[in-house]
Amino acid sequence: MKIFAIGDLHLPGGDNKPMDIFGAHWEGHFSRIAQDWQEKVSPDDLVLIPGDISWAMQLEPALEDLRMIGRLPGKKVILRGNHDYWWCGINRLREVLPENMYAIQNDAMRFGDTVICGTRGWTLPANGNAEDEKIYSRELIRMELSLSSAKKLGGDRLIVMTHYPPLADGGGETKASQMMSQFGVDDVVYGHLHGASLRGAVTGVYGGVRYHCVSCDGLKFSMYRLPGGTPEQPNGGAAAENGGKAAF
């Protein structure tokens, strides 16, 4: 089983929202993703999608976006992003997901020897922002619940999905990254960053954990394959910048 990841698909949600308003490189972006997906992913592979899946505001308009993803090969694991307002109660969502699509929300699932867990996360509190501090602290509790659930499932590899970057720009340590190291996480996939904000994105090994920024524009709208094995040496890499100034 190969493991791929791609985030921030920003599908239209029935509103035909054009993504090229954020730059010409977004034109026809999902067609390019789908073509690359079909070329690389087999039915037995796993695809992680850490949030910002559809612009829909309600579940019903989002279903066609979910079905488009569902028709592509592989087992898909989705997580809520900050723009996924359509995301309803987790039990209701799981009832209507296409075959071979799974939703993670503060819990964990096992696929073979690999365990996937995660939560949305939040922006790092800055300048004493009390509201951000409150939400960030709540998300840390949810992440701990998710990691604890994952440990109960066993497995040889532990992968965390989170929408917001768990590290500070350039790889600075945070409470979230400390938790990843303490729980022995192997890989973390995240998104949220776009355009110029990708300059601070981290893809590399920090605190014994491999981090992967998988915003689709940072990947030039191609599938990202996670490396196998145990994290070793940092590669010092950062996600490529695709121009523009959008951070949504």
Side-chain angles (χ1 to χ4, degrees):
M1 179 182 71
K2 301 186 293 293
I3 303 175
F4 295 88
I6 190 162
D8 302 82
L9 300 178
H10 288 290
L11 298 178
D15 293 331
N16 196 27
K17 181 166 183 172
M19 285 300 295
D20 56 8
I21 63 172
F22 297 108
H25 59 291
W26 280 94
E27 186 173 353
H29 77 288
F30 189 66
S31 295
R32 286 182 279 159
I33 290 170
Q35 180 178 346
D36 189 68
W37 188 319
Q38 290 168 330
E39 291 172 356
K40 292 178 178 176
V41 180
S42 71
D44 292 330
D45 292 336
L46 197 61
V47 180
L48 311 180
I49 306 174
D52 280 7
I53 299 162
S54 172
W55 285 112
M57 300 298 290
Q58 302 293 332
L59 178 60
E60 190 64 31
L63 286 178
E64 182 52 37
D65 291 339
L66 296 174
R67 291 172 186 141
M68 283 197 300
I69 297 169
R71 288 190 286 268
L72 293 169
K75 299 181 286 288
K76 305 92 180 174
V77 184
I78 63 173
L79 181 87
R80 185 176 189 173
N82 61 303
H83 286 295
D84 290 319
Y85 296 109
W86 55 270
W87 190 288
C88 57
I90 189 62
N91 291 331
R92 168 63 178 148
L93 177 57
R94 286 171 174 163
E95 287 174 356
V96 299
L97 284 177
E99 186 178 3
N100 282 334
M101 186 177 288
Y102 309 89
I104 291 284
Q105 182 172 294
N106 315 327
D107 55 6
M109 295 181 181
R110 180 168 173 171
F111 299 86
D113 290 330
T114 299
V115 177
I116 311 295
C117 70
T119 186
R120 178 192 61 183
W122 194 249
T123 189
L124 295 175
N127 302 319
N129 187 306
E131 185 62 21
D132 281 344
E133 184 67 50
K134 177 182 177 181
I135 299 172
Y136 185 74
S137 296
R138 184 175 64 206
E139 288 295 313
L140 287 176
I141 294 170
R142 290 172 172 170
M143 181 61 76
E144 186 171 9
L145 289 171
S146 178
L147 287 163
S148 297
S149 296
K151 285 298 184 181
K152 293 176 183 177
L153 295 179
D156 295 330
R157 185 175 186 183
L158 176 55
I159 300 176
V160 168
M161 297 172 64
T162 183
H163 182 64
Y164 283 85
L167 289 162
D169 283 0
E173 190 176 59
T174 66
K175 292 179 181 178
S177 67
Q178 289 172 353
M179 188 180 296
M180 306 299 179
S181 298
Q182 290 166 0
F183 272 85
V185 172
D186 295 298
D187 296 90
V188 176
V189 297
Y190 68 95
H192 185 65
L193 304 178
H194 300 281
S197 64
L198 284 165
R199 293 185 185 131
V202 174
T203 293
V205 180
Y206 295 84
V209 180
R210 271 187 306 229
Y211 290 87
H212 313 270
C213 179
V214 297
S215 302
C216 68
D217 51 331
L219 301 176
K220 298 183 179 179
F221 308 104
S222 61
M223 303 299 290
Y224 177 86
R225 182 177 175 182
L226 272 67
T230 302
E232 294 179 358
Q233 297 300 318
N235 63 22
E241 180 187 355
N242 275 275
K245 298 181 180 179
F248 43 90

